[in-house]
Amino acid sequence: MEDFSIEDIKNNVSTKPLRSSGSNIVTHRLQKVKDGYAYKPTLLLVSAYLLMFLIGLLLVGYAIFKIVTTNSFSILKESYIMTGIATLFFIVGIYVIYFLCIPIKFDTSINRFYRSFNTNHKKKSAHFKDIVALQILGELVPNGESNENEYISYEVNLVLQNGFRINLIDYAKLDIITKDTNTLSTFLNVPIWKV
């Protein structure tokens, strides 16, 4: 095992956010699961994306129904805007459902963290022993074209022995982020570095 100094890592690890934007809603919550801890999507997030998917599905279904009942593709020509929007909602809905299913887990059965379907993903997983700290960063996120509606989003990253960071979660509720990060700090027996 390599020799490393926690202070050296702390002084040299990047303090720039890993993600260029944040969320102004709570997207995931930390939950105790059978074999560790996992971040699960919130009901608000799931509902919003499920609604988007269902709207797309209904509009695509309506277009298919019209094609079948009229035995013509003229509906696609006549309402190409509706068909385009329906297809866009449907595709985005499928992508988001896939995104929501990606596990974010601290798995005690294999002593690893992963934010991927691949538990050994090079950039999205780490062995517990390689995690030396949890990093909380705040960033000002513009909301729209003007800066009038800016908000602060907080990003939590895992810091590894080699100084590499893995993004854990990112949203605007510092009290919830702090509570969940404290739980993980105790679970992993690592400090929290607030920037």
Side-chain angles (χ1 to χ4, degrees):
M1 185 166 128
E2 289 181 33
D3 289 335
F4 65 93
S5 159
I6 297 295
E7 280 306 309
D8 285 343
I9 295 169
K10 185 175 184 178
N11 293 332
N12 292 305
V13 73
S14 176
T15 56
K16 289 185 178 181
L18 282 171
R19 298 180 65 169
S20 60
S21 63
S23 174
N24 60 356
I25 65 166
V26 177
T27 58
H28 292 75
R29 286 301 314 265
L30 185 68
Q31 296 179 8
K32 178 79 174 115
V33 293
K34 182 179 80 169
D35 49 359
Y37 283 92
Y39 275 95
K40 303 285 186 176
T42 60
L43 183 59
L44 175 65
L45 186 70
V46 171
S47 300
Y49 288 142
L50 192 56
L51 181 63
M52 181 184 298
F53 173 75
L54 290 175
I55 289 170
L57 185 63
L58 285 172
L59 292 173
V60 167
Y62 176 75
I64 291 170
F65 171 77
K66 290 302 265 178
I67 289 168
V68 170
T69 57
T70 62
N71 200 20
S72 166
F73 286 95
S74 64
I75 184 73
L76 296 178
K77 293 176 188 168
E78 293 169 7
S79 59
Y80 62 90
I81 293 174
M82 181 194 78
T83 305
I85 291 171
T87 304
L88 178 67
F89 268 66
F90 186 69
I91 290 170
V92 168
I94 288 172
Y95 171 76
V96 168
I97 288 171
Y98 169 81
F99 170 75
L100 290 176
C101 292
I102 295 172
I104 306 172
K105 189 171 184 183
F106 292 86
D107 193 333
T108 56
S109 68
I110 58 173
N111 290 327
R112 289 188 73 78
F113 163 79
Y114 49 91
R115 186 185 180 130
S116 170
F117 290 109
N118 176 358
T119 60
N120 290 311
H121 190 286
K122 187 176 180 181
K123 295 183 178 180
K124 296 182 180 180
S125 73
H127 197 282
F128 288 168
K129 67 178 174 50
D130 295 329
I131 301 169
V132 297
L134 296 159
Q135 180 189 56
I136 300 177
L137 302 171
E139 68 175 311
L140 200 56
V141 179
N143 191 13
E145 291 181 18
S146 72
N147 291 337
E148 293 176 17
N149 298 322
E150 293 175 324
Y151 61 91
I152 296 177
S153 181
Y154 299 93
E155 175 178 292
V156 179
N157 300 313
L158 302 177
V159 180
L160 307 183
Q161 288 181 8
N162 60 5
F164 183 77
R165 298 177 303 153
I166 300 173
N167 180 254
L168 183 56
I169 206 76
D170 193 329
Y171 52 77
K173 299 287 184 183
L174 181 60
D175 56 335
I176 296 172
I177 288 230
T178 301
K179 181 181 179 217
D180 290 349
T181 305
N182 284 333
T183 299
L184 290 175
S185 174
T186 302
F187 170 70
L188 296 168
N189 194 29
V190 297
I192 299 169
W193 296 342
K194 294 181 181 176
V195 179

